[in-house]
Amino acid sequence: MNSCYRGMNSDFAEICNRQIGIVPSTNFSRRFIASEIIVKQLNLEHKLNGHDGCVNAVEFNSTGDLLVSGSDDCKVILWDWARNSKRFSYPSGHLDNIFQTKIMPFTDDQKIVTSAADGKVRLGQVLGDGRVITQMLGEHQGSVHELAVEPGSPHIFYSCGEDGLVQHFDLRNTSARKLFYCTAFAERSRHPPNSIELNAIAIDPRNPNFFALGGSDEYARLYDLRNCRGDVTSSNRVVDTFCPHHLTQTNNFHITGLVFSNSSELLITYSDELIYLFQKNMGLGPSPLTVSSENLLRELKRPHVFSGHRNSATVKGVNFFGPNAEYIVSGSDCGHIYIWKKKGALLVKLMLGDHDVVNHIEPHPHLPILATCGIENNVKIWTPMASDVPPLPDDMEQLQISGQTTNFKEMRHGI
C-alpha cells in the first residue's frame, strides 16, 4: 500500500502511516522513539537528591523502572526514579569512592555489585525484611573503574582494574578467578611485562564470548573468553585491536571508556582526544605494531569521529542512545551533555548537565530517557518535554464570551 503522506514532515508521516496500518506498531514505536524531534525535546525532568558526594555511577535495571547509583560517599541508593523517591540506600562497605554499580539481571533487583577506588569488588544482597548485607567478592591492587555483567546472567560478571588484572566472578562461588594481566604490546619481550592500567571493559551483547578492554595506552583490545583460561602468567591472547590511525604508537593518549552496540560496533572515548566508532572490519589485528606503516594503514577503513566535547579532567564513559543505537552520548569537562546523530556525526542536542563535569550518561533500556551524573551530588533525569509552549491569549475570557454568543445565535437560527 502506498502512503498518501509522502513529502510531509517525516515524523508526522510516521504517525499517519501507523494509524492506517502501513507501519507496524512495533516498528513505529522504535522509530518514533529514535526520531530526532524526540531527542531535541529532551530536558531536565528532575534531580534525585540523596548522596553526599560526587555521583560516579548510575544504571537502570532491565525493566527501566528502577535506577541504582553510587557515590564518593560510599553509599549505594536504589531509586524509584519516576516518583523521585528512594527505595532504599545502604553503606556499601567500600572505603573509597564508588566507581561502578550494577544490578544483576533476573535477581528481582535483589543483588547489586559494586567496585571502587579502594580496589574492592563487593556484593549488596537485599534480604526479605529490606535489610542489605554486603560482602567482599574480590580485590585489585588499585582502583576498579568498571564491571561488565554477562548479558542475561544473574551470576557472572567481570572486573578490570588499574593493576591490569581482569577477573571473573560467579556469585555461586565464593572466590574470584583471575584471568590474565593486560600488558603493553611493546613490552611483551620484557620480564615482567608492563601492565596496562585498565579503565574500561565491555562485553559484546551480540556475541557474549567477546569482550573489549581499554586503558592507559591507545589500543582497545578484543578478547575471546573461550581463550582466557585463567593462567595469569601467560601473555594475553588478543583477537583484534582498534585504534585511530593517527594515534598508533603515540603513547600520549589513553582510553577512558568504551561500549558495544547491539550490532557489535565499538565506541571508544579517549582522554584529551575525541570519540571514535569502529565497525568490526576496522581492526588492526592482534599485533598492531606490525601494521604501523602508512601504506598498510591507508588500506584500512577509518572510524567515524565525534567531536566538540572535552575529556581530560576525569575518567569519562561514552554510550549509545536509541533502540538501534541511532545516537552517541557523552559528558564533558564543560558540564554539558553532548548528543550526536550516529549517521553523519552531527551534533543534535547540547544540554547543561552539571556545573562542573558530566562523567556518565545512562540511557533507559526502552524509552527516550537519560540519567546522568557528575561532580554534583545528585542524579539528573532527562525526558522529552514540550518547549516554548505558547501561553493562553490575554483576551481568553473575551474569546470565550464571543464564542458562547456565536453559538447561541446559531442555535436560535437553527444552524
Side-chain angles (χ1 to χ4, degrees):
M1 182 187 297
N2 293 325
S3 173
C4 60
Y5 299 104
R6 288 180 179 175
M8 287 187 173
N9 173 279
S10 60
D11 297 307
F12 179 73
E14 283 282 334
I15 297 173
C16 297
N17 289 336
R18 183 222 180 192
Q19 291 302 102
I20 62 177
I22 293 178
V23 178
S25 58
T26 53
N27 291 351
F28 166 80
S29 175
R30 294 176 69 84
R31 285 156 65 177
F32 190 69
I33 286 172
S35 66
E36 191 172 323
I37 194 170
I38 292 295
V39 173
K40 287 183 175 180
Q41 294 294 322
L42 285 171
N43 280 290
L44 181 63
E45 173 76 28
H46 56 254
K47 300 177 183 179
L48 303 176
N49 295 299
H51 284 291
D52 298 314
C54 303
V55 182
N56 306 308
V58 290
E59 189 199 41
F60 288 100
N61 64 351
S62 59
T63 57
D65 59 327
L66 299 177
L67 180 80
V68 67
S69 62
S71 166
D72 286 2
D73 61 10
C74 301
K75 186 167 60 178
V76 174
I77 300 179
L78 189 70
W79 303 91
D80 184 339
W81 62 267
R83 293 183 172 86
N84 198 0
S85 64
K86 295 180 190 177
R87 280 286 183 92
F88 59 78
S89 66
Y90 66 91
S92 64
H94 288 290
L95 303 177
D96 209 336
N97 305 347
I98 296 176
F99 288 144
Q100 188 87 117
T101 55
K102 295 282 188 182
I103 301 172
M104 295 301 292
F106 301 109
T107 62
D108 199 24
D109 306 318
Q110 303 300 295
K111 293 182 179 181
I112 300 171
V113 291
T114 58
S115 64
D118 62 2
K120 305 296 192 294
V121 178
R122 301 186 64 88
L123 169 68
Q125 173 72 60
V126 184
L127 303 180
D129 59 5
R131 292 183 299 117
V132 181
I133 57 173
T134 66
Q135 67 179 98
M136 189 179 79
L137 301 175
E139 61 183 324
H140 289 257
Q141 301 302 312
S143 297
V144 185
H145 288 282
E146 195 153 20
L147 306 172
V149 177
E150 182 177 289
S153 172
H155 310 293
I156 297 173
F157 69 97
Y158 301 84
S159 69
C160 67
E162 290 184 352
D163 55 1
L165 177 63
V166 179
Q167 297 194 73
H168 168 278
F169 294 85
D170 188 330
L171 296 181
R172 294 165 295 190
N173 300 327
T174 57
S175 60
R177 183 162 61 99
K178 296 179 179 180
L179 295 183
F180 61 85
Y181 284 93
C182 181
T183 56
F185 291 111
E187 304 294 334
R188 285 189 176 181
S189 61
R190 300 185 181 182
H191 300 282
N194 287 346
S195 292
I196 297 297
E197 297 180 9
L198 295 174
N199 296 321
I201 180 171
I203 297 175
D204 184 349
R206 194 170 189 176
N207 189 344
N209 288 316
F210 293 96
F211 70 97
L213 296 174
S216 57
D217 71 0
E218 64 269 35
Y219 299 105
R221 295 157 169 82
L222 184 69
Y223 296 87
D224 188 334
L225 282 166
R226 294 166 294 190
N227 296 333
C228 302
R229 305 185 184 280
D231 182 6
V232 295
T233 61
S234 65
S235 60
N236 17 311
R237 301 180 179 181
V238 179
V239 175
D240 206 349
T241 56
F242 298 86
C243 180
H245 301 174
H246 66 286
L247 296 185
T248 57
Q249 298 192 56
T250 57
N251 299 316
N252 295 324
F253 302 94
H254 66 271
I255 295 168
T256 64
L258 51 76
V259 63
F260 282 103
S261 73
N262 288 329
S263 57
S264 299
E265 300 164 305
L266 183 60
L267 187 66
I268 305 173
T269 182
Y270 284 83
S271 179
D272 293 316
E273 243 277 338
L274 307 177
I275 296 170
Y276 298 90
L277 177 65
F278 293 85
Q279 306 296 328
K280 289 195 296 183
N281 61 352
M282 294 180 179
L284 302 174
S287 302
L289 302 186
T290 64
V291 292
S292 58
S293 70
E294 291 186 9
N295 290 334
L296 288 173
L297 288 175
R298 199 176 294 121
E299 295 175 3
L300 296 171
K301 292 184 178 180
R302 295 182 179 273
H304 298 296
V305 185
F306 303 86
S307 63
H309 71 302
R310 294 203 304 271
N311 181 8
S312 180
T314 57
V315 178
K316 290 181 190 61
V318 67
N319 226 323
F320 293 97
F321 181 44
N324 293 310
E326 292 88 350
Y327 300 90
I328 307 299
V329 293
S330 173
S332 175
D333 290 349
C334 63
H336 283 81
I337 299 163
Y338 285 71
I339 305 178
W340 297 269
K341 204 162 188 175
K342 185 172 72 175
K343 186 177 181 180
L346 177 68
L347 183 67
V348 296
K349 184 71 175 179
L350 186 65
M351 305 180 290
L352 182 62
D354 194 285
H355 290 302
D356 200 339
V357 177
V358 176
N359 285 328
H360 185 68
I361 302 176
E362 180 71 11
H364 189 278
H366 312 295
L367 299 173
I369 294 170
L370 296 173
T372 65
C373 62
I375 302 302
E376 294 180 11
N377 299 352
N378 56 49
V379 177
K380 295 180 178 67
I381 303 296
W382 307 82
T383 63
M385 293 187 289
S387 58
D388 300 324
V389 177
L392 294 174
D394 294 333
D395 57 347
M396 186 66 190
E397 292 184 4
Q398 184 62 39
L399 290 173
Q400 288 176 320
I401 293 173
S402 299
Q404 290 170 356
T405 302
T406 301
N407 290 338
F408 179 72
K409 290 179 178 179
E410 290 176 347
M411 289 173 63
R412 285 191 61 185
H413 290 85
I415 298 176

Coordinates of all heavy atoms in Angstrom, one line a residue, residues 17 52 67 70 78 83 91-93 106 122 125 162 201 219 244 268 275 285 308 322 335 341 343 366 381-382 410:
N17 N 0.9 7.1 8.9 CA 1.1 5.7 8.3 C 0.8 4.6 9.3 O 0.3 3.6 9.0 CB 2.5 5.6 7.7 CG 2.7 6.4 6.5 OD1 1.8 6.8 5.8 ND2 4.0 6.7 6.2
D52 N 25.9 12.4 49.4 CA 26.7 13.5 50.0 C 28.1 13.7 49.4 O 29.0 14.2 50.0 CB 26.9 13.2 51.5 CG 25.5 13.1 52.2 OD1 24.7 14.0 52.0 OD2 25.3 12.2 53.0
L67 N 16.6 2.6 39.3 CA 17.9 3.1 39.0 C 18.8 3.0 40.2 O 18.3 3.3 41.3 CB 17.7 4.6 38.6 CG 19.0 5.3 38.2 CD1 19.4 5.0 36.7 CD2 18.8 6.8 38.3
G70 N 25.9 5.1 42.7 CA 27.0 5.0 43.7 C 27.8 6.3 43.7 O 27.9 7.0 42.7
L78 N 19.1 2.8 45.7 CA 18.2 2.3 44.7 C 17.0 3.3 44.6 O 16.3 3.5 45.6 CB 17.7 0.9 45.0 CG 17.0 0.2 43.8 CD1 17.9 -0.1 42.7 CD2 16.3 -1.1 44.3
R83 N 9.1 8.5 40.4 CA 8.5 9.1 41.5 C 9.4 10.0 42.3 O 9.0 10.5 43.4 CB 7.8 8.0 42.4 CG 6.7 7.3 41.8 CD 6.0 6.3 42.7 NE 4.8 5.7 42.2 CZ 4.8 4.7 41.4 NH1 5.9 4.0 41.1 NH2 3.7 4.2 41.0
P91 N 25.1 1.5 53.2 CA 26.6 1.7 53.1 C 27.2 0.5 52.4 O 27.0 -0.6 52.8 CB 27.0 1.8 54.6 CG 25.9 1.1 55.4 CD 24.7 1.3 54.6
S92 N 28.0 0.8 51.4 CA 28.4 -0.3 50.5 C 29.5 -1.2 51.2 O 29.7 -2.3 50.7 CB 29.0 0.3 49.2 OG 30.1 1.1 49.5
G93 N 30.2 -0.6 52.2 CA 31.3 -1.3 52.7 C 32.6 -0.9 52.1 O 33.7 -1.3 52.6
F106 N 17.7 -10.7 36.5 CA 17.0 -11.9 36.9 C 17.2 -12.2 38.4 O 17.2 -13.4 38.7 CB 17.3 -13.1 36.0 CG 16.9 -12.8 34.6 CD1 18.0 -12.7 33.6 CD2 15.6 -12.7 34.1 CE1 17.7 -12.5 32.3 CE2 15.3 -12.5 32.8 CZ 16.4 -12.4 31.9
R122 N 32.4 -5.7 45.5 CA 31.5 -6.1 46.6 C 30.1 -6.4 46.1 O 29.7 -5.9 45.0 CB 31.5 -5.0 47.7 CG 32.8 -4.6 48.3 CD 32.6 -3.7 49.5 NE 31.9 -4.3 50.6 CZ 32.4 -5.0 51.6 NH1 33.7 -5.2 51.6 NH2 31.7 -5.5 52.5
Q125 N 23.4 -7.7 49.0 CA 22.3 -8.6 48.9 C 21.1 -8.1 49.7 O 21.2 -7.9 50.9 CB 22.7 -10.0 49.5 CG 21.6 -11.0 49.6 CD 21.1 -11.5 48.2 OE1 21.9 -12.1 47.4 NE2 19.9 -11.3 47.9
E162 N 43.2 -1.0 37.7 CA 44.4 -0.2 37.4 C 45.6 -1.1 37.5 O 46.7 -0.7 37.0 CB 44.5 1.0 38.2 CG 43.4 2.1 37.9 CD 43.6 3.4 38.7 OE1 44.5 3.4 39.6 OE2 42.9 4.4 38.4
I201 N 35.8 -2.0 30.5 CA 35.6 -3.3 30.0 C 34.2 -3.4 29.5 O 33.3 -2.8 30.1 CB 35.9 -4.4 31.1 CG1 35.6 -5.8 30.5 CG2 35.0 -4.1 32.3 CD1 36.0 -6.9 31.4
Y219 N 45.4 1.6 22.5 CA 44.7 0.4 21.8 C 43.6 -0.1 22.7 O 43.7 -0.4 23.9 CB 45.7 -0.7 21.6 CG 46.9 -0.2 20.7 CD1 48.2 0.0 21.2 CD2 46.7 -0.1 19.3 CE1 49.2 0.4 20.4 CE2 47.8 0.3 18.5 CZ 49.0 0.6 19.1 OH 50.0 1.0 18.3
P244 N 42.5 4.7 16.3 CA 42.5 5.6 15.2 C 44.0 5.6 14.6 O 44.9 5.6 15.4 CB 42.2 7.0 15.8 CG 41.4 6.6 17.1 CD 42.0 5.3 17.6
I268 N 34.6 4.2 21.3 CA 35.8 4.4 22.2 C 35.9 5.9 22.5 O 35.9 6.7 21.5 CB 37.1 3.9 21.6 CG1 36.9 2.4 21.3 CG2 38.2 4.0 22.6 CD1 38.1 1.8 20.6
I275 N 36.1 11.0 20.2 CA 35.3 9.7 20.3 C 35.3 9.1 18.9 O 35.1 9.8 17.9 CB 33.9 10.0 20.8 CG1 33.9 10.5 22.2 CG2 33.0 8.7 20.7 CD1 32.5 11.0 22.6
G285 N 44.2 -5.9 13.9 CA 44.7 -7.3 14.1 C 45.3 -7.4 15.5 O 45.3 -6.5 16.3
G308 N 33.8 17.9 19.8 CA 33.2 19.0 20.4 C 33.2 19.0 21.9 O 33.3 20.1 22.6
G322 N 19.2 5.2 21.9 CA 18.2 4.9 20.9 C 18.0 3.4 20.8 O 18.9 2.6 21.1
G335 N 30.8 20.5 31.5 CA 29.5 20.3 32.2 C 28.3 20.1 31.3 O 27.2 20.0 31.8
K341 N 24.1 12.5 16.3 CA 23.4 11.5 15.5 C 24.6 10.6 14.9 O 25.6 11.1 14.5 CB 22.7 12.1 14.3 CG 21.6 11.3 13.7 CD 20.6 12.1 12.9 CE 19.4 11.2 12.5 NZ 18.4 12.0 11.8
K343 N 24.7 8.6 12.4 CA 24.9 8.7 11.0 C 25.3 10.2 10.6 O 24.5 11.1 10.8 CB 23.6 8.3 10.2 CG 23.8 8.3 8.7 CD 22.5 7.8 8.1 CE 22.7 7.7 6.6 NZ 21.4 7.2 5.9
H366 N 14.4 1.2 27.4 CA 13.3 1.1 26.5 C 12.7 2.4 26.0 O 12.0 2.5 25.0 CB 12.1 0.3 27.1 CG 12.6 -1.0 27.7 ND1 13.1 -2.1 27.0 CD2 12.6 -1.4 29.0 CE1 13.4 -3.1 27.8 NE2 13.1 -2.7 29.0
I381 N 17.6 13.3 35.7 CA 16.7 12.5 34.8 C 16.3 13.5 33.7 O 15.7 14.6 34.0 CB 15.5 11.9 35.5 CG1 15.9 11.1 36.7 CG2 14.6 11.2 34.6 CD1 16.7 9.8 36.3
W382 N 16.5 13.0 32.4 CA 16.2 13.8 31.3 C 15.1 13.1 30.4 O 15.3 12.0 30.1 CB 17.4 14.1 30.4 CG 18.6 14.6 31.2 CD1 19.4 14.0 32.0 CD2 18.9 16.0 31.3 NE1 20.3 14.8 32.6 CE2 20.1 16.1 32.2 CE3 18.5 17.2 30.7 CZ2 20.7 17.3 32.5 CZ3 19.1 18.4 31.0 CH2 20.2 18.4 31.9
E410 N -26.4 30.9 16.6 CA -26.6 29.8 15.6 C -27.7 28.9 16.0 O -28.5 28.4 15.2 CB -25.3 29.0 15.5 CG -24.1 29.8 14.8 CD -22.8 29.1 14.8 OE1 -22.7 28.1 15.6 OE2 -21.9 29.5 14.1

